[in-house]
Amino acid sequence: SDLYVSMLQKQSPVSTDISVIFPADEGFIVPDDLSSFHGVAWTGSSLTIHKNEDRVQRQIQLARDIFDLGIPQFGSCWALQVAVVAAGGVCAKNPRGREMAISRKISLTPEGRGHPMFQGKSSVFDAFTSHDDEATHVSIGGVILAGNNHSMCQAVCVDHGKGSFWAVQYHPEYDLHEVARLTAVRTPMLIEQGFFKGPEDAASYVQMLEELHRQPDRKDLRWMVGVDDDVMNERVRCAEVRNWLEGQALQYKVASLA
């Protein structure tokens, strides 16, 4: 949640008050003042959306409640899956396996190129990522805005009930340091899945990411990792977040005060 709070505060055009809730926790109670919020942002999660668990179902129901209130929603990765399932769509384990570190060549659909979430974004870009599951069927009211060879649904807008949920499968809140730490923690799994031959290869990759994070202008490391400003430049990387804050949350606030 700290990554998301920091990103929202940096990208918001106005001073923002943020409350953090934990709907996956046992005993979670929906805040009494939920209807007073002007936007709801969802972080990623290690949960699996297609498992029938209470901690999953609580979040799906929360998204439905927020749809019914008409409050704008946004989020990353897990959030896209929550948005799709809450509106009647389907998610499943990706048969191509995990997408890790950087999603390559995400391409906007024709609908995506005209959608305000991607204002100022290139039609093709890379993004930080880590996920196993994907949206396979989007219900009526949902529009796929971007995809790549790994996942046909890398971004979606879901209009349902009284509300709208903009979501991306990737992680604009990540930076190279975060990706390096995730890679280090998940090294045994990534070796098993074929991302690295062994621990030494993984450690070398992690070290390269950390070094590039410390020295973002290193041309040699940018070339070896294969990254450009779409992931290195925070303003470019977080364009979707900023567009949601300005075009959805802030507009909802203005309308609620009218």
Side-chain angles (χ1 to χ4, degrees):
S1 61
D2 290 346
L3 285 174
Y4 239 82
V5 169
S6 176
M7 176 181 67
L8 291 169
Q9 289 174 334
K10 287 180 181 178
Q11 299 304 319
S12 177
V14 297
S15 177
T16 304
D17 293 325
I18 298 174
S19 298
V20 179
I21 60 175
F22 301 92
D25 289 357
E26 187 175 353
F28 169 77
I29 298 174
V30 176
D32 292 335
D33 61 346
L34 180 61
S35 62
S36 69
F37 286 86
H38 302 125
V40 175
W42 295 72
T43 68
S45 172
S46 60
L47 296 177
T48 301
I49 194 72
H50 46 84
K51 286 187 176 179
N52 188 22
E53 299 177 328
D54 288 345
R55 55 186 180 169
V56 172
Q57 296 305 315
R58 275 196 299 273
Q59 296 184 72
I60 294 171
Q61 185 57 53
L62 177 60
R64 288 172 177 157
D65 292 343
I66 298 168
F67 272 128
D68 289 342
L69 289 170
I71 301 171
Q73 301 181 76
F74 178 88
S76 310
C77 196
W78 166 255
L80 182 146
Q81 297 157 27
V82 169
V84 168
V85 172
V90 178
C91 294
K93 190 173 183 64
N94 192 321
R96 287 166 291 280
R98 172 171 289 273
E99 190 173 29
M100 182 65 195
I102 301 174
S103 292
R104 301 291 184 179
K105 297 181 181 179
I106 297 172
S107 300
L108 298 182
T109 63
E111 294 81 5
R113 285 193 290 273
H115 195 275
M117 178 160 65
F118 289 102
Q119 181 179 349
K121 198 86 171 183
S122 297
S123 294
V124 180
F125 57 93
D126 294 346
F128 294 128
T129 198
S130 178
H131 69 106
D132 284 312
D133 298 328
E134 66 172 348
T136 58
H137 298 82
V138 177
S139 64
I140 295 173
V143 179
I144 295 176
L145 303 178
N148 68 355
N149 287 338
H150 195 275
S151 294
M152 69 170 187
C153 184
Q154 289 281 359
V156 68
C157 172
V158 178
D159 292 330
H160 181 72
K162 299 177 182 178
S164 186
F165 199 139
W166 295 5
V168 296
Q169 185 60 66
Y170 45 92
H171 287 274
E173 74 276 20
Y174 283 3
D175 57 21
L176 285 167
H177 173 69
E178 185 67 19
V179 173
R181 293 300 88 207
L182 283 172
T183 302
V185 168
R186 296 172 177 170
T187 289
M189 177 190 69
L190 294 173
I191 292 172
E192 183 179 344
Q193 294 178 355
F195 286 92
F196 303 106
K197 289 184 66 177
E200 297 80 9
D201 293 331
S204 177
Y205 182 72
V206 168
Q207 183 179 1
M208 192 182 306
L209 295 181
E210 293 281 26
E211 188 62 30
L212 183 55
H213 178 70
R214 288 189 292 268
Q215 301 183 65
D217 294 329
R218 284 274 302 270
K219 180 179 178 179
D220 58 329
L221 293 179
R222 280 185 173 229
W223 177 76
M224 284 188 282
V225 177
V227 292
D228 209 334
D229 280 350
D230 44 6
V231 294
M232 297 295 293
N233 185 309
E234 186 177 55
R235 184 165 181 81
V236 176
R237 186 174 72 244
C238 296
E240 300 92 321
V241 184
R242 189 169 57 255
N243 289 336
W244 175 76
L245 286 165
E246 295 177 357
Q248 291 280 290
L250 185 57
Q251 294 306 311
Y252 181 84
K253 177 181 180 179
V254 170
S256 69
L257 297 175

